[in-house]
Amino acid sequence: MNDTPTTPDQVTLSDFRAALKEFIQVVGKDWVYTSPEHLRPYQKIMLANDATRFSPSAVISPASVTEVQGILAICNRYSIPVWPTSTGRNFGYGSSLPATRGQTILDLKRMNRIIEVDAELGTALVEPGVTYQQLQDYLKEHKLPLWLDFPGPGPIVGPLGNTLERGGGNTPYGDHFAHACGMEVVLANGKILKTGMGSIPNTTSWQVFKYGYGPYLDGIFTQSNFGVVTKMGLWLMPEPAGYRTIMVQFDEKHLSEAVNIMRNLQLQRVVTNVGVMVSDVMAISTFMKRQDIYTGTGAVPRALIREKASAFGIADWNMTFTLYGTDAQIKPNLDIVNAAFKPIEARINPDFHDGSQVNELSLNSFGILNWIGGGGLAWFAPVAPAKGQDAVKQASMARRILGQYGFDYLAAPTLNGRDLHHLIAIVHNHNDLQQKAQAAACFEQLVTEFSAEGYGLYRVGIDFMDKLADIYGETNREVNRAIKQALDPNGILAPGKSGIRL
Ligand code: ADP
């Protein structure tokens, strides 16, 4: 054990050591870590910030709900802050690290049982450590014709953590929280809450009807610090009879019309999954290194990007979506899609392949990290109404601000009916201190300018949680604080998460 752990501010070293001894009694000595060697994997950060600002004091890895309850009781007694993680790979938002220094990470990845899959209803009940790969292997092994929807890092992350962050994927089940049904939550006082239908004795319907009776509570356990979620119900998509992934490529001058066309196709349910719009430089970054194209300063000049992009058949914008169903269902919808995009002279490839839209897990999304090298990534994720004028305005603001700091517009906005999540990767060299500082300043300016125009972020990294909470305003903060005081009066759970603390 390390002699001088990073203790939480308000906890004395002797209390901390006493708490560690008690944690060991609960989970066993092999599952309480404090040595630098054991903490190192948890210290990694991709954000443009210094990982030591968020250093954990220890990591505890329980194997059961009873052990979680035991840990929280000790935390309450010694005022030890704990930061729960599930698979702990919240890349580009903070990975496993807590929002403030000295918290103990509650690493739940040992709790990784797939408790139940109902093949008829297409539902599952899983623990925090279950990964998408594990769930997919299970479905294949049991020959269950159900699909998964997963975020970029796919196989190595899990549905519970990603859903709590309100992450998304690219199939019709892409809104993960919308496809979650029922949670088991260990509250700070050790009591176990089952949401929705879960509290009915001998419940039969926990994973089929979300709302139960009374206030619908599940939302308050997402992007928050009001409980430790130990089980979650998921809805899984029945494998479709068939599918066709379409790539629609268009010029910058048609961005506005393309967004309006796609939104209408989605609102009419002709297209039932997201439209993933990939900027040319984002597309190039997945398979080329920046230095092979350009070694000058500033963002890679547009003309150079266009030259490279054209050589690979990449347009200014490259949007993909999928039509699912039988041939008889797909054919008329494809006709509607073709007719809809005709006025903007888009290039349409009706036989494109995108694994993320058809249940194929892969690590391909990590390709963008090679664009610059050095492992820095911060996601800037503003939301816009799905209207052409907003897409054009946001794209132009983002290009200008990124360019001011020498970054390229690595954007993959996803269009989902009424909203557009304008995902932008600020990829930088984490080992280049000057570039890291530029990335941090760029992020700050993006947040400031976008919010001044009425555009908010849907999620943010640990280094920006307080600032984003401020932008959402004092009344939101007061309500969250009131819930925090009621549910976690000693403030032991993840202080600072989403800017929430006592
Ligand atoms: P992933 O590996 O799927 O990206 P993480 O496990 O890193 O997701 O979780 C992302 C964030 O969600 C964590 O940093 C934490 O704030 C919150 N979180 C994760 N798991 C839990 C949980 N079981 N209970 C409460 N909050 C959690």
Side-chain angles (χ1 to χ4, degrees), residues 83-90 95 108 128 157-158 160-162 164-165 224 227-229 497:
W83 181 271
T85 65
S86 290
T87 43
R89 295 185 168 118
N90 202 9
S95 304
L108 300 166
V157 297
L160 195 146
N162 189 267
L164 290 182
E165 284 292 283
S224 79
V228 178
V229 180
K497 173 76 184 177

Side-chain angles (χ1 to χ4, degrees), residues 99-160:
T100 59
R101 194 176 152 85
Q103 299 196 37
T104 291
I105 294 176
L106 186 64
D107 179 349
L108 300 166
K109 69 165 92 64
R110 288 174 69 211
M111 296 171 63
N112 64 352
R113 286 179 307 152
I114 298 167
I115 294 163
E116 191 182 10
V117 175
D118 186 315
E120 269 178 287
L121 294 167
T123 65
L125 182 66
V126 299
E127 290 190 328
V130 170
T131 62
Y132 286 103
Q133 186 68 58
Q134 183 188 347
L135 193 50
Q136 194 178 61
D137 291 347
Y138 178 98
L139 296 173
K140 283 193 176 148
E141 189 190 326
H142 294 83
K143 298 195 171 38
L144 302 179
L146 296 168
W147 273 17
L148 299 182
D149 188 284
F150 37 81
I156 59 173
V157 297
L160 195 146

Side-chain angles (χ1 to χ4, degrees), residues 290 294-301 372 402-408:
R290 188 181 197 266
Y294 181 66
T295 48
T297 52
V300 183
I372 289 187
L402 288 159
Q404 254 171 268
Y405 293 89
F407 295 111
D408 305 301

Side-chain angles (χ1 to χ4, degrees), residues 195-198 200 209-216:
T195 64
M197 303 300 288
I200 293 286
F209 182 62
K210 291 160 175 257
Y211 308 127
Y213 175 68
Y216 173 54

Side-chain angles (χ1 to χ4, degrees), residues 59-292:
V59 176
I60 311 174
S61 195
S64 68
V65 170
T66 314
E67 289 186 4
V68 172
Q69 290 172 301
I71 292 165
L72 297 190
I74 299 164
C75 292
N76 271 309
R77 229 174 307 121
Y78 291 97
S79 298
I80 308 268
V82 270
W83 181 271
T85 65
S86 290
T87 43
R89 295 185 168 118
N90 202 9
F91 299 131
Y93 293 104
S95 304
S96 315
L97 284 175
T100 59
R101 194 176 152 85
Q103 299 196 37
T104 291
I105 294 176
L106 186 64
D107 179 349
L108 300 166
K109 69 165 92 64
R110 288 174 69 211
M111 296 171 63
N112 64 352
R113 286 179 307 152
I114 298 167
I115 294 163
E116 191 182 10
V117 175
D118 186 315
E120 269 178 287
L121 294 167
T123 65
L125 182 66
V126 299
E127 290 190 328
V130 170
T131 62
Y132 286 103
Q133 186 68 58
Q134 183 188 347
L135 193 50
Q136 194 178 61
D137 291 347
Y138 178 98
L139 296 173
K140 283 193 176 148
E141 189 190 326
H142 294 83
K143 298 195 171 38
L144 302 179
L146 296 168
W147 273 17
L148 299 182
D149 188 284
F150 37 81
I156 59 173
V157 297
L160 195 146
N162 189 267
T163 304
L164 290 182
E165 284 292 283
R166 301 200 293 265
N170 295 341
T171 76
Y173 283 39
D175 178 345
H176 292 168
F177 182 57
H179 294 87
C181 189
M183 294 179 183
E184 177 189 83
V185 188
V186 180
L187 301 174
N189 64 8
K191 289 196 175 160
I192 294 174
L193 170 73
K194 292 186 181 175
T195 64
M197 303 300 288
S199 296
I200 293 286
N202 300 317
T203 182
T204 56
S205 316
W206 195 15
Q207 269 61 70
V208 296
F209 182 62
K210 291 160 175 257
Y211 308 127
Y213 175 68
Y216 173 54
L217 297 173
D218 298 51
I220 68 165
F221 297 105
T222 65
Q223 292 194 0
S224 79
N225 49 14
F226 300 150
V228 178
V229 180
T230 45
K231 290 183 186 64
M232 184 184 282
L234 309 170
W235 288 345
L236 308 179
M237 177 173 156
E239 183 181 311
Y243 54 82
R244 259 176 112 161
T245 299
I246 325 284
M247 158 92 85
V248 177
Q249 297 182 291
F250 50 88
D251 295 341
E252 189 68 36
K253 65 175 188 249
H254 293 306
L255 174 60
S256 177
E257 292 149 286
V259 166
N260 291 335
I261 293 168
M262 184 62 184
R263 176 203 60 226
N264 291 341
L265 288 170
Q266 290 174 323
L267 292 184
Q268 289 153 2
R269 306 255 162 110
V270 173
V271 176
T272 57
N273 70 328
V274 293
V276 186
M277 295 173 27
V278 178
S279 70
D280 48 12
V281 59
M282 178 64 132
I284 292 173
S285 76
T286 59
F287 62 91
M288 287 188 99
K289 289 192 166 73
R290 188 181 197 266
Q291 67 192 26
D292 293 341

Side-chain angles (χ1 to χ4, degrees), residues 436-448:
K436 196 156 91 168
Q438 288 287 91
C442 180
F443 196 93
E444 177 126 26
Q445 192 175 332
L446 283 164
V447 174
T448 307

Side-chain angles (χ1 to χ4, degrees), residues 330-400:
I330 291 173
K331 171 80 178 58
N333 283 329
L334 184 55
D335 290 344
I336 295 170
V337 165
N338 278 320
F341 283 106
K342 199 152 193 217
I344 64 162
E345 299 154 353
R347 202 168 357 132
I348 299 183
N349 174 358
D351 290 302
F352 191 70
H353 177 257
D354 176 350
S356 74
Q357 306 192 21
V358 294
N359 196 39
E360 292 171 15
L361 286 164
S362 91
L363 292 171
N364 289 347
S365 70
F366 287 96
I368 58 168
L369 291 174
N370 298 328
W371 177 241
I372 289 187
L377 170 67
W379 285 108
F380 175 65
V383 175
K387 286 187 176 172
Q389 70 216 42
D390 289 282
V392 169
K393 180 172 165 182
Q394 284 207 354
S396 118
M397 284 173 70
R399 275 210 186 90
R400 171 177 55 76

